[in-house]
Every structure is written in C-alpha cells, then in structure tokens.
C-alpha cells in the first residue's frame, strides 16, 4: 500500500473520495432516496422517450424502446425481470445473469463507487492513462459477485470520462464501452446528461431532459409486470366461496361439507394459483 501511494501519488480510496465530491459529496448523495430520469433514447437509429426510476435498495424500473419495440425492465430489490418483445415471449421473464448485470449497472444512483465498501465492492488504482484525449485515473472496480468494470476519471475534474464492462446483447454477455458527457448540477449533486454506449455492433445514446430527485411513485412499478392476459385475470385474486363435489363411498358425487378458495399471483411468475380447502367427514 505504501509503495502504491509513492508510485501513483494517491490511493484508490483518495481518488474515489474526490470523485464522489465532484458529484456533489457523500452527504448530499445520502440524502437522496430516489431519482426519476426522463429523456430521449436512441437505438437502431430511432429516437424515442425513456423513463428510468431508481430507488434505494437497488430498486429500478425503465421503460424505453429498442427500435419500434417497447421494452420494460426492473428490480424490486431482489427479483430482476425484463419484458422485451424482441424475444417474442409475449410476457415479462426473469432476468438471466447477463440481464441482471445490466440492470444492476443501470440502477446505480451516482456511480458504483458510491458507498462501494459498504456494498462489498473492491477498487484498485492502476495509474494514469489517456481516455478520449484526457489524462485519467484508471480504476478497476470489482463487484461483490466478482464482475469487474474499468473506469477512467478525468485527472482534473475527477468525473468519469469512460468505462468498460460486460453488457448484454440478446441476453448474452458482451463487452462494452461507455462515454459520459454534459455534466450538470441537479439540486446539490452533479450528473451526466449524455451517455453513449457501444457494444457488439450496437450504438446507444441516452440524452437526459429532466432529473427529479426524491420523486414519489408507486413502489409496485419495480415488481415484475403482469402480461396483458394476467392483467385481465387480476379480478380473480382474493377469497372465493366455491362449491365442491367429491366421490362418496357409494360411488356417487356428493357436496363437500365446507369449502373455500383463495387465488393469488405466484411471486415472480405470470401465473395464478388457486388453493381450495374443503372439509369432508370421510377421507378423500
């Protein structure tokens, strides 16, 4: 550690502290419990509106278009899901590892360096390198799950210039480069209003129009969405009186003596489940 400090002049933690300070400071970021972002998102050479909502606890929701197809994705803090018409499933699905990884990256409030030690992340300082023509501090961040990201922070401003990590294309992992620009102050914090993402043969651009801090919203937006068919059947959820006939000892159907039913959505699935209870004086 001493050798690293002599060689590079600063430790990784010192650089991260200045990076967070450049974004507005730890105290101001700790006062934020949610962020709502609206703007324009370009994919397949088509520009469309985008909405992102981020909340403490890793909760995230985004609604945007990939070309002409509307896409939704999110996380309620535990369950990661995605609804992408390109997959032709017709309903939201649980995210695989590659999709979960991109949702985790999108859900970051500031950058992954915010409170990184509390979240079990590790950071190493790799010296000064050029990125986009600027002298940058090169940091490698390792998330709790072992996935790594390389970040280049402007040596003068300590704001991010570029990062590299693993992204996803059609639910498969691919390397990506991300470029950040147009930093603006929102309240007491600073955020990039322009992000360009390059992976595979894709080029994605996010141009933010408005950022609302500590926004109010329905927490249900983070939960896996129901398919249109399940939404039509939502009226069935609840307790029901039912009539149940069972086969008696005589071989004839007879009414059960006491019956009830409860219907609910199965957690994290587009599925309804019905539990029927009944009482009979003979074993069934």
């Amino acid at each position: 550690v001493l050798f690293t400090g002599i060689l590079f002049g600063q430790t990784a933690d010192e650089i991260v502290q200045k990076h967070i300070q450049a974004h507005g400071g730890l105290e101001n970021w700790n006062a934020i419990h949610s962020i709502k972002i609206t703007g324009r998102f370009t994919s397949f050479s088509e520009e469309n509106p985008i909405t992102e909502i981020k909340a403490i606890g890793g909760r995230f929701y985004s609604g945007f278009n990939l070309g002409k197809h509307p896409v939704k994705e999110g996380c309620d803090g535990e369950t990661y899901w995605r609804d992408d018409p390109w997959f032709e499933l017709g309903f939201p699905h649980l995210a695989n590892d590659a999709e979960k990884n991109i949702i985790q990256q999108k859900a970051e409030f500031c950058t992954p360096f915010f409170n990184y030690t509390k979240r079990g992340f590790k950071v190493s300082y790799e010296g000064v390198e050029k990125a986009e023509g600027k002298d940058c501090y090169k940091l490698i961040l390792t998330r709790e799950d072992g996935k790594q990201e390389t970040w280049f922070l402007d040596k003068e401003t300590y704001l991010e210039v570029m990062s590299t990590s693993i992204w996803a294309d059609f639910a498969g992992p691919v390397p990506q480069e991300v470029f950040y620009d147009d930093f603006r102050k929102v309240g007491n914090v600073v955020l990039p209003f322009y992000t360009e993402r390059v992976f595979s043969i894709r080029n994605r651009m996010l141009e933010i129009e408005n950022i609302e801090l500590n926004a109010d919203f329905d927490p249900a937006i983070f939960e896996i969405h129901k398919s249109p068919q399940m939404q039509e059947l939502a009226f069935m959820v609840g307790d029901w009186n039912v009539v149940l006939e069972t086969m008696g000892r005589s071989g004839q159907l007879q009414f059960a003596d006491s019956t009830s039913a409860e219907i609910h959505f199965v957690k994290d699935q587009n599925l309804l489940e019905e539990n029927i209870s009944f009482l009979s004086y003979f074993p069934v």
Side-chain angles (χ1 to χ4, degrees), residues 246-254 282:
T246 63
M247 188 65 69
R249 297 181 66 189
S250 64
Q252 302 295 316
L253 288 174
Q254 62 185 45
F282 292 98

Side-chain angles (χ1 to χ4, degrees), residues 9-30:
Q10 295 186 83
T11 66
D13 193 56
E14 288 172 341
I15 294 172
V16 168
Q17 288 181 31
K18 292 178 180 179
H19 169 66
I20 298 300
Q21 191 60 40
H23 273 284
L26 188 62
E27 182 179 354
N28 289 324
W29 278 103
N30 281 330

Side-chain angles (χ1 to χ4, degrees), residues 10 12 14 20 29 60 77 83 133 135 138 183 202 206 215 217 224 230 236 240 251 254-255 279 282:
Q10 295 186 83
E14 288 172 341
I20 298 300
W29 278 103
F60 177 78
D83 186 4
D135 288 332
K138 180 181 178 181
F183 288 86
R202 318 293 184 197
L206 170 61
F217 47 81
I224 185 168
M230 285 294 104
M236 296 179 65
W240 293 79
Q254 62 185 45
F255 290 111
L279 175 66
F282 292 98

Side-chain angles (χ1 to χ4, degrees), residues 210-230:
N210 185 63
I211 296 178
E212 183 180 353
L213 304 178
N214 295 325
D216 294 324
F217 47 81
D218 184 354
I221 197 169
F222 302 122
E223 299 173 1
I224 185 168
H225 289 192
K226 304 295 186 296
S227 67
Q229 293 81 6
M230 285 294 104

Side-chain angles (χ1 to χ4, degrees), residues 11-17 19-20 26 108 111-124 139-144:
T11 66
D13 193 56
E14 288 172 341
I15 294 172
V16 168
Q17 288 181 31
H19 169 66
I20 298 300
L26 188 62
E108 295 289 353
T111 66
F113 299 106
F114 174 59
N115 286 333
Y116 77 95
T117 54
K118 292 181 180 179
R119 296 189 288 163
F121 297 178
K122 296 179 181 179
V123 175
S124 65
L139 298 178
I140 294 180
L141 178 135
T142 304
R143 291 180 178 263
E144 192 177 19

Side-chain angles (χ1 to χ4, degrees), residues 64 66 69-73 81-93 99 170-171:
F64 58 99
L66 287 177
H69 295 289
V71 176
K72 296 181 177 65
E73 59 189 7
W81 58 272
R82 187 172 170 87
D83 186 4
D84 188 342
W86 283 94
F87 294 153
E88 299 180 347
L89 295 177
F91 55 87
H93 65 273
E99 294 170 314
F170 280 97

Side-chain angles (χ1 to χ4, degrees), residues 33-64:
H33 61 74
S34 67
I35 300 175
K36 181 178 180 180
I37 294 172
T38 54
R40 310 295 297 178
F41 180 72
T42 301
S43 66
F44 297 103
S45 301
E46 294 190 13
E47 185 184 86
N48 289 285
I50 183 172
T51 298
E52 290 186 351
I53 299 176
K54 310 177 184 185
I56 56 175
R59 293 176 296 167
F60 177 78
Y61 166 81
S62 182
F64 58 99

